[in-house]
Amino acid sequence: MEQERELQWEDQIEKDGGEFTLLPEGDYFFTVEKFERARFQGSEKMPPCPQAKLTLTVHSQEHGDQTIFHNLLLHTKTEGLISNFFIGIGQKKKGEPFRMNWNAVVGAKGKAKIHVNKYMSQGEERANNQVKSFYPYDEAFPNGQNQQQSSNNYQNQQQYQAPFPGAANNQQQQNNQGGGFTPGQF
């Protein structure tokens, strides 16, 4: 697998853009592929604050793996949305205080309700997929399999029952990559 890197202005490129597939609304398993720290500059409704930019690989048997971007604004106004995400990946328990652990986000798995977002751009109606909400981890994985144990322990990974095609391969890639966290600035 080729290492990601920045391109220089004169670099040669060869990959064509992939086809965009709009998933039908529904419930899908996902894996967090990437996490970036950013800064939200503010809007009429929200003051400037830190922003978590998440890249999710959504697993669909019918349409294959699709990428969805999900942003979390780190502000008290959106604390419920942040909790929903951490409950969804099994880090937080409902009703209990929790210190956000961003180092354990990449490679986490969960289940989300995906909807079709329609919007106007340059006079054209367009659509993309967005996460409407995350299901509690223990509802998505009722057999009690602890994702942190399976990602940190090879023997547990061998016993992991994949809820979607390719899950075991994704888990093994995560183990080989060591989590993929890259520190950055807000």
Side-chain angles (χ1 to χ4, degrees):
M1 187 162 100
E2 185 179 327
Q3 185 95 4
E4 287 185 6
R5 65 178 178 83
E6 68 180 59
L7 295 172
Q8 301 301 315
W9 292 104
E10 298 83 20
D11 279 356
Q12 178 176 319
I13 57 173
E14 52 186 273
K15 293 180 188 174
D16 295 329
E19 289 287 319
F20 172 73
T21 301
L22 188 66
L23 294 172
E25 292 190 354
D27 301 335
Y28 296 90
F29 288 99
F30 69 88
T31 304
V32 179
E33 293 299 326
K34 190 174 179 182
F35 155 66
E36 295 178 62
R37 295 172 191 257
R39 182 90 184 149
F40 178 70
Q41 297 304 314
S43 67
E44 281 184 28
K45 297 179 182 180
M46 181 70 70
C49 60
Q51 178 180 24
K53 291 185 166 195
L54 303 170
T55 303
L56 308 177
T57 298
V58 176
H59 309 286
S60 167
Q61 290 183 354
E62 187 176 329
H63 302 284
D65 287 354
Q66 300 298 320
T67 299
I68 293 180
F69 302 101
H70 186 70
N71 296 326
L72 293 170
L73 301 178
L74 277 63
H75 194 278
T76 54
K77 287 184 175 184
T78 60
E79 190 172 343
L81 299 172
I82 300 166
S83 285
N84 181 246
F85 169 71
F86 279 104
I87 290 169
I89 62 171
Q91 284 192 31
K92 182 182 185 310
K93 300 288 182 204
K94 279 186 175 183
E96 295 180 11
F98 171 75
R99 183 169 309 277
M100 297 178 287
N101 183 1
W102 296 102
N103 292 335
V105 166
V106 174
K109 299 185 182 319
K111 188 176 183 180
K113 179 171 281 303
I114 303 297
H115 77 107
V116 174
N117 174 54
K118 294 183 180 180
Y119 61 97
M120 295 297 288
S121 176
Q122 299 176 351
E124 252 182 63
E125 185 177 293
R126 298 183 184 203
N128 63 10
N129 288 121
Q130 291 185 352
V131 174
K132 186 166 186 137
S133 65
F134 295 96
Y135 288 97
Y137 186 83
D138 54 355
E139 289 177 22
F141 301 97
N143 64 357
Q145 176 67 35
N146 182 317
Q147 80 178 30
Q148 276 73 29
Q149 285 178 347
S150 67
S151 68
N152 294 328
N153 184 319
Y154 181 75
Q155 290 176 341
N156 284 347
Q157 184 234 326
Q158 295 299 337
Q159 297 169 358
Y160 181 71
Q161 296 298 314
F164 47 83
N169 292 339
N170 289 342
Q171 194 68 35
Q172 188 171 4
Q173 286 175 355
Q174 176 202 345
N175 290 344
N176 293 340
Q177 293 170 355
F181 174 73
T182 305
Q185 293 182 330
F186 283 109

